[in-house]
Amino acid sequence: MKGIILMVFSAFLFCGCASSQNKDLKYTSEIDQKGKSVFKDGSIQISNPEVEYEVIIFDNYFESWFARKAKPRGFYSKAYLETKNRQWILSFNANSRAGKRGFDYTIDYQPTIDYGYEVNYMLYNYLLYFQEVNRVRLD
């Protein structure tokens, strides 16, 4: 009897996990086809030649965090990513200017510039990572 209950539970668990991974991504049409991100030697280079902006992040642990925790491209809308990035970067830069520990630099992010989906997506994920690793909230 325990074996049957265990098999039924396992089947439900397997089906539940499989179905949660196959959700349709709502915003795949917003993904830049020319934007790209390249991980190499503890850094990531994010670029989009159409908008001529490039972000380079030097952090040895971001790549593994990204592989484990980031939502897939197309999960968030570009508007959502831009809104969160603007909000978080304002907070980040305010902390940096105040000399708070861990905020050693400012981020130059202009709300009037269209950086494209890829740059916003990777910047959003880096800011999520930064908050988790440093146990801070950028609100």
Side-chain angles (χ1 to χ4, degrees):
M1 184 64 170
K2 287 182 182 180
I4 293 173
I5 292 172
L6 183 60
M7 286 181 12
V8 170
F9 177 74
S10 297
F12 282 122
L13 182 64
F14 177 75
C15 291
C17 291
S19 66
S20 69
Q21 294 174 354
N22 294 326
K23 291 181 181 177
D24 290 337
L25 301 175
K26 292 172 142 181
Y27 303 103
T28 54
S29 63
E30 296 183 9
I31 298 173
D32 301 323
Q33 298 305 314
K34 293 185 180 178
K36 66 177 184 174
S37 299
V38 178
F39 286 98
K40 184 177 181 182
D41 299 328
S43 69
I44 178 171
Q45 181 176 3
I46 310 157
S47 62
N48 184 344
E50 288 183 351
V51 293
E52 298 180 14
Y53 288 96
E54 183 174 85
V55 178
I56 300 174
I57 298 169
F58 296 99
D59 193 315
N60 292 329
Y61 303 105
F62 177 62
E63 182 177 3
S64 62
W65 179 93
F66 180 80
R68 287 181 287 115
K69 296 195 175 184
K71 301 283 188 205
R73 286 167 181 80
F75 185 85
Y76 303 108
S77 71
K78 184 178 165 195
Y80 175 81
L81 295 172
E82 290 171 334
T83 300
K84 292 306 277 186
N85 285 342
R86 277 193 293 269
Q87 176 187 2
W88 288 346
I89 289 170
L90 281 173
S91 176
F92 186 96
N93 288 343
N95 286 320
S96 176
R97 288 185 191 101
K100 290 196 177 177
R101 188 170 161 237
F103 296 87
D104 303 326
Y105 52 90
T106 59
I107 300 171
D108 183 15
Y109 185 87
Q110 304 297 320
T112 57
I113 295 174
D114 180 4
Y115 293 100
Y117 191 91
E118 184 67 16
V119 171
N120 277 293
Y121 171 75
M122 294 304 289
L123 185 56
Y124 171 83
N125 278 293
Y126 178 74
L127 292 169
L128 274 176
Y129 162 79
F130 180 86
Q131 291 177 85
E132 183 179 312
V133 168
N134 293 293
R135 295 186 178 118
V136 296
R137 287 191 52 113
L138 297 173
D139 289 326

